Amino acid sequence: MNKKIYFLTTAYFCFLILILIIYGYTPQNDSEGYIEYAKLCLEEHQPYPATSLIEHSSFIWNIGAINIIELSLWLFDSIYPVLVLMCLLKALTAALIAKIAQTLFNDRVAILSSVLFVLYPNNWGQSTMLLSEIPSIFFALSATYITIKTNNIKLLFVSGILLFLSNWFRSIAIVFMLSLILYYLI
């Protein structure tokens, strides 16, 4: 079973990288805003949200997404390392879906759920975009997997840190946290 999940994850990652190579970066409203804010923060030598952005805006965007783009621009002068990271996180999300389904159900459901995720065309196109959802879902599912797999208090603490990271990229971790609380209650 684990070999099948490993193979599917690796094949999916290679497929996503191929799509990225063929189509390159796909601009969209959020991504363009992230890049603009990352460049402004670089000019001010501050992480997002930089002081000037706080003073002139009443809305703070997805902090983690902008900061990771800023880091990539600072280190590589390119957003492509972040796009490769997004492809990797997307492939690892497929593996996490399989591992969670395997833990809650069985091997057959695990493979089927992961294959359905991989075959969904929108997941292919996301590999060419800078989306906060990709790392957020990856970290939230990592926390979910750790939580349902163990009762070790130290690992549950790690799960909490992963939910924090998920929330840092996009504020949806509370949904996963509430789901995990319901899981334990039921």
Side-chain angles (χ1 to χ4, degrees):
M1 173 60 190
N2 289 333
K3 288 182 181 179
K4 289 179 184 177
I5 293 172
Y6 176 77
F7 174 76
L8 182 65
T9 303
T10 305
Y12 186 47
F13 175 68
C14 293
F15 178 69
L16 293 175
I17 292 295
L18 181 63
I19 288 174
L20 180 61
I21 290 168
I22 292 170
Y23 294 102
Y25 166 64
T26 303
Q28 57 149 340
N29 291 340
D30 284 1
S31 299
E32 293 299 297
Y34 296 162
I35 294 168
E36 179 185 337
Y37 278 13
K39 287 178 179 178
L40 284 169
C41 291
L42 273 176
E43 288 173 11
E44 294 186 22
H45 306 289
Q46 294 181 20
Y48 179 78
T51 307
S52 67
L53 292 172
I54 292 173
E55 292 171 354
H56 297 99
S57 178
S58 60
F59 179 73
I60 295 179
W61 229 346
N62 300 316
I63 296 170
I66 295 169
N67 281 322
I68 201 157
I69 292 167
E70 182 182 358
L71 179 64
S72 181
L73 290 172
W74 181 64
L75 290 175
F76 306 105
D77 198 31
S78 172
I79 60 167
Y80 276 89
V82 178
L83 291 168
V84 171
L85 176 65
M86 295 296 175
C87 291
L88 177 63
L89 294 179
K90 194 65 127 163
L92 291 174
T93 297
L96 283 167
I97 288 169
K99 296 304 280 180
I100 290 168
Q102 182 183 35
T103 302
L104 295 176
F105 302 103
N106 59 43
D107 291 354
R108 184 178 234 177
V109 172
I111 292 297
L112 181 62
S113 60
S114 188
V115 166
L116 286 173
F117 177 81
V118 166
L119 291 178
Y120 184 60
N122 191 42
N123 287 330
W124 308 343
Q126 287 180 345
S127 65
T128 65
M129 300 176 196
L130 296 169
L131 298 173
S132 60
E133 292 90 342
I134 295 170
S136 181
I137 294 297
F138 168 76
F139 287 121
L141 288 178
S142 297
T144 301
Y145 179 66
I146 289 170
T147 302
I148 65 172
K149 197 71 175 162
T150 186
N151 284 326
N152 183 323
I153 217 62
K154 290 177 183 175
L155 287 177
L156 291 176
F157 182 74
V158 169
S159 180
I161 292 170
L162 290 169
L163 284 173
F164 166 80
L165 287 171
S166 172
N167 214 53
W168 190 57
F169 280 95
R170 189 165 194 91
S171 301
I172 61 165
I174 189 76
V175 174
F176 286 86
M177 191 167 44
L178 292 174
S179 299
L180 292 172
I181 289 169
L182 282 174
Y183 172 78
Y184 270 111
L185 290 175
I186 294 171

